[in-house]
Amino acid sequence: MMQESGTETRSNDSAIQNGAGPGNHLLECTLRESRSNGETPLEIGAAELAHLQQQQALQAARQILINQQPLSGIKTHKRNDKQPSLQVPVSVAMMTPQVITPQQMQQILQQQVLTPQQLQVLLQQQQALMLQQQQLQEFYKKQQEQLQLQLLQQQHAGKQPKEQQQVATQQLAFQQQLLQMQQLQQQHLLTLQRQGLLSIQPGQPTLPLQPLVQGMIPAELQQLWKEVTGSHTADDVVCNNHSTLDLSTTCVSSTAQPKASLLLNSHASTNGQASVLTLKRESSSHEEYAQNHSLYGHGVCKWPGCEAICEDFPSFLKHLNNEHALDDRSTAQCRVQMQVVQQLELQLSKDKERLQAMMTHLHVKSTEPKASPQPQLYTTCSRENGWIYSSQQLEEGFTGILKGLNLVSSATLSKTVSEASPQSLPHTPTTPTAPLTPITQGPSVITTTSIHNVGPIRRRYSDKYNVPISSDWMISVDFLSLPDIAQNQEFYKNAEVRPPFTYASLIRQAILESPEKQLTLNEIYNWFTRQFAYFRRNAATWKNAVRHNLSLHKCFVRVENVKGAVWTVDEIEFQKRRPQKISGVPFAPTCPCISALSE
DNA sequence: CAGCAGGTAAACAACC
DNA sequence: TGGTTGTTTACCTGCT
């Protein structure tokens, strides 16, 4: 047991240790896994390509913002110099000339290199994108369910009447088109995003703009959408009314899109006020603004982690400007939001691929019953959650696969990293390399609440979490500091993301969550593994850490019980530990939700 | 640069 | 005897 973690670092020198944390091990395995599975960059599908393009474009936009900062002083330089991750190997730099590392992004944000306007634009656009992704995912889920139902019906029926087959085929075709449309949508949004950034930086070199929409014009997409959904009413009006920005391709949802449009219209806005001005041209009622504002709903401020009650829209705006002005906290929350959006993007992309593979498989099967499953599908499913599917199983039932679509595992995570940044493959896991594309792992299960409850962030405490292949993993680990464990439990339960809280905080949370506010050591272990997928690995390491923390901190009191020893929390001692910097500095050594509990 | 907090590893003892 | 629990120490990293 002890060997499990011990050998990882012991056998390596300190330099290697820097990249030899548990997460690293995961990646290392993953890379090997992906290689052995024959996954090569050559297998990048259209969806992946689109996604990579998106990411690169986004990074390029960010790069512009960075390049235009001639520098924020000596101190900044010093900090940068200390960051090994900034030393981009030539080969990598040549491959991805416009890529900035997440660490760089983090630094930039921390140093407030970005202007308030730029940050605001970034935040709003990311949120718009996120909303859209949510809508897409919902719709996509519905489509999946329909498909599954149909497949099940076919199975039960035994045979497939020709009519059914035709319907299924038709639906599959629609879904394929839908997928294409979704990709284009993302591209379009991204393009808009870049345009927004460029408009802010007129003096900067322009980016090589990619074709806005490849092969399809918005009208065609709309038509396609109508075909697919069979419903088009108010959406058309809403979408077509956007004369300032052509968002017709984003008209997927009747609810989300106006929000996205609103946000995109407010590039130069600060804290939402300009968006109001923009909208005033189109509408004059505050109620409508309130309905459309992504950060306001049901009389509550929807700023991540806020939920302040605002009686009306003007008071909301006032609140927005007072409480969510550009500061460290907002910046940190912006970063988190970006990561969330990226994860959603990635997950959507992955699911689309899988669906594509499923559909392809169905097609193949109808003509070539003995054909082996599509490699993409097979490799994906076979490594999902440790499930192994034979081709026969794949043919016999898709239920498990569909089930697998909504689950996540380390394999998903790793596969994602290795696939999405194929350039990284040649690098050895222990070689500190420059981070590549800012993709993140794709936890399949992410609750909507997790998006809305973002709080302080615990900074990276050790380079051991800096995964050399793609530091995006690291940045996600650090940035996905969704403070309210309770509300984000689904996320942590399924995504192998290290929770951004200290062991002490987590232990305290575990104990306080228990009915009697006391737990045995074993129960604490169980809580960890139950609540966090991350703690289902390297048990020896983190269990040792838990014990270490229990013994070390005075706030944990061991009490002899009838059953044996239980641990309790001395709240006073815990609060004494350290003044908590909840706001301002993005550093949260303790879990805010626990603080809330104790208050 | 020192001090601190936190994470990791490990040695060791007591207990079951 | 082996595993678990608990304590302690050492070392590292990042931050202030």
Side-chain angles (χ1 to χ4, degrees):
Chain A
M1 256 183 146
M2 299 291 276
Q3 289 291 84
E4 183 183 20
S5 59
T7 50
E8 276 182 34
T9 52
R10 291 254 158 191
S11 58
N12 296 328
D13 59 27
S14 59
I16 294 176
Q17 271 194 28
N18 281 341
N24 235 13
H25 177 67
L26 165 66
L27 273 176
E28 196 175 334
C29 297
T30 316
L31 272 185
R32 279 198 296 265
E33 195 177 15
S34 7
R35 285 181 195 137
S36 64
N37 279 329
E39 285 174 41
T40 69
L42 295 176
E43 293 180 17
I44 296 175
E48 272 178 325
L49 194 60
H51 182 71
L52 286 173
Q53 284 174 348
Q54 274 183 34
Q55 296 297 342
Q56 287 225 344
L58 185 57
Q59 285 170 351
R62 289 170 181 163
Q63 185 67 57
I64 281 186
L65 296 179
I66 296 157
N67 288 341
Q68 56 122 167
Q69 291 298 334
L71 283 86
S72 0
I74 300 171
K75 192 174 180 181
T76 301
H77 253 291
K78 190 180 174 186
R79 285 174 67 97
N80 283 346
D81 290 345
K82 286 172 72 176
Q83 285 287 339
S85 60
L86 295 185
Q87 298 166 3
V88 182
V90 175
S91 58
V92 177
M94 287 174 66
M95 289 166 68
T96 57
Q98 294 177 329
V99 168
I100 63 166
T101 70
Q103 286 98 330
Q104 285 173 316
M105 193 66 190
Q106 182 180 10
Q107 283 185 345
I108 292 155
L109 288 166
Q110 282 175 353
Q111 295 157 13
Q112 296 196 2
V113 170
L114 297 179
T115 67
Q117 286 79 13
Q118 291 165 351
L119 276 173
Q120 191 69 21
V121 167
L122 272 178
L123 174 63
Q124 290 180 343
Q125 289 171 356
Q126 290 286 349
Q127 284 178 334
L129 195 57
M130 181 196 72
L131 281 167
Q132 192 180 23
Q133 294 292 342
Q134 280 180 310
Q135 294 298 324
L136 286 176
Q137 282 191 331
E138 281 173 19
F139 178 80
Y140 176 56
K141 199 174 172 184
K142 282 178 188 171
Q143 291 293 313
Q144 279 185 335
E145 286 168 0
Q146 282 182 11
L147 180 60
Q148 188 179 11
L149 274 176
Q150 218 164 35
L151 287 168
L152 286 174
Q153 284 173 358
Q154 288 172 4
Q155 275 186 348
H156 288 165
K159 291 182 177 180
Q160 295 186 1
K162 268 194 174 179
E163 289 176 7
Q164 277 190 359
Q165 262 188 339
Q166 281 179 350
V167 171
T169 307
Q170 201 172 10
Q171 191 177 358
L172 291 180
F174 282 157
Q175 288 188 358
Q176 280 176 331
Q177 289 171 324
L178 173 65
L179 293 181
Q180 286 178 1
M181 190 180 69
Q182 288 171 344
Q183 290 165 16
L184 294 173
Q185 233 183 320
Q186 291 177 5
Q187 277 191 343
H188 191 179
L189 267 183
L190 209 70
T191 308
L192 290 171
Q193 190 171 9
R194 278 180 291 161
Q195 287 170 345
L197 291 169
L198 287 170
S199 68
I200 291 171
Q201 306 297 334
Q204 292 307 307
T206 55
L207 285 170
L209 290 176
Q210 295 172 355
L212 188 64
V213 176
Q214 295 172 344
M216 292 182 87
I217 60 174
E220 288 176 337
L221 289 169
Q222 278 190 48
Q223 181 58 35
L224 174 59
W225 172 253
K226 289 170 188 172
E227 288 175 2
V228 172
T229 61
S231 65
H232 46 91
T233 52
D235 290 359
D236 300 344
V237 180
V238 170
C239 297
N240 290 330
N241 278 344
H242 283 281
S243 54
T244 51
L245 281 174
D246 180 12
L247 290 177
S248 52
T249 58
T250 67
C251 295
V252 173
S253 159
S254 59
T255 54
Q257 292 322 303
K259 295 178 185 174
S261 309
L262 168 70
L263 289 170
L264 287 165
N265 271 330
S266 60
H267 284 317
S269 69
T270 301
N271 295 335
Q273 281 192 332
S275 62
V276 176
L277 295 176
T278 307
L279 267 186
K280 270 189 177 175
R281 287 195 297 258
E282 300 173 4
S283 167
S284 59
S285 80
H286 259 171
E287 286 73 17
E288 191 168 336
Y289 305 152
Q291 283 176 1
N292 288 336
H293 203 293
S294 300
L295 290 172
Y296 184 64
H298 300 100
V300 173
C301 172
K302 289 183 175 178
W303 184 277
C306 179
E307 296 182 10
I309 296 171
C310 305
E311 289 180 359
D312 51 19
F313 193 62
S315 63
F316 158 73
L317 285 178
K318 190 179 176 184
H319 160 82
L320 198 62
N321 283 312
N322 290 337
E323 303 298 323
H324 307 302
L326 180 67
D327 55 13
D328 287 345
R329 182 188 173 93
S330 299
T331 306
Q333 290 169 333
C334 176
R335 288 200 303 265
V336 174
Q337 196 73 8
M338 283 176 170
Q339 295 299 314
V340 170
V341 170
Q342 284 185 352
Q343 290 202 349
L344 285 171
E345 287 175 353
L346 192 68
Q347 184 54 40
L348 183 62
S349 165
K350 299 300 297 178
D351 279 349
K352 281 192 284 190
E353 285 171 42
R354 273 184 267 194
L355 180 59
Q356 192 80 40
M358 288 165 64
M359 293 187 297
T360 308
H361 169 73
L362 282 175
H363 256 326
V364 170
K365 186 190 157 196
S366 62
T367 53
E368 299 174 345
K370 291 299 174 184
S372 58
Q374 294 295 304
Q376 171 68 37
L377 179 61
Y378 183 72
T379 54
T380 301
C381 294
S382 64
R383 283 180 289 123
E384 287 289 329
N385 312 303
W387 295 351
I388 306 296
Y389 295 100
S390 67
S391 57
Q392 187 186 352
Q393 283 173 312
L394 286 171
E395 288 181 6
E396 282 173 355
F398 276 84
T399 316
I401 301 172
L402 290 171
K403 182 184 169 192
L405 287 173
N406 291 324
L407 295 175
V408 74
S409 69
S410 60
T412 310
L413 172 71
S414 350
K415 178 171 177 290
T416 299
V417 171
S418 59
E419 277 183 352
S421 54
Q423 310 100 299
S424 65
L425 286 175
H427 299 291
T428 57
T430 50
T431 305
T433 62
L436 300 167
T437 53
I439 52 86
T440 59
Q441 76 277 16
S444 295
V445 179
I446 180 165
T447 61
T448 51
T449 54
S450 68
I451 295 165
H452 298 292
N453 289 278
V454 182
I457 295 167
R458 180 174 63 84
R459 286 185 191 166
R460 179 164 58 102
Y461 51 83
S462 167
D463 278 345
K464 288 180 181 179
Y465 301 118
N466 187 350
V467 176
I469 295 303
S470 169
S471 59
D472 311 310
W473 155 248
M474 184 281 297
I475 201 170
S476 298
V477 167
D478 276 351
F479 279 12
L480 274 176
S481 52
L482 313 176
D484 194 332
I485 297 175
Q487 292 195 38
N488 296 290
Q489 57 183 345
E490 283 305 312
F491 174 79
Y492 287 114
K493 275 180 183 173
N494 296 284
E496 224 167 299
V497 172
R498 185 191 179 92
F501 311 111
T502 63
Y503 280 110
S505 303
L506 293 173
I507 293 168
R508 177 168 170 263
Q509 170 83 347
I511 293 171
L512 293 184
E513 271 189 12
S514 66
E516 299 177 6
K517 304 286 183 288
Q518 57 178 32
L519 288 178
T520 66
L521 179 63
N522 198 42
E523 286 169 339
I524 294 173
Y525 288 161
N526 292 337
W527 185 86
F528 269 67
T529 50
R530 198 170 57 243
Q531 298 294 329
F532 303 97
Y534 179 84
F535 292 119
R536 287 162 207 160
R537 302 172 57 87
N538 300 315
T541 302
W542 65 262
K543 282 181 177 177
N544 186 26
V546 168
R547 291 195 305 275
H548 168 73
N549 275 266
L550 282 170
S551 294
L552 192 67
H553 300 301
K554 289 179 187 172
C555 58
F556 299 121
V557 183
R558 187 172 175 272
V559 179
E560 289 291 340
N561 204 349
V562 192
K563 303 180 209 168
V566 292
W567 290 92
T568 61
V569 177
D570 183 340
E571 205 53 39
I572 298 169
E573 279 295 329
F574 189 88
Q575 299 299 338
K576 268 201 253 174
R577 281 169 62 238
R578 175 186 177 140
Q580 293 184 23
K581 299 177 182 177
I582 296 301
S583 61
V585 180
F587 183 85
T590 57
C591 175
C593 60
I594 307 173
S595 306
L597 272 177
S598 59
E599 283 170 3

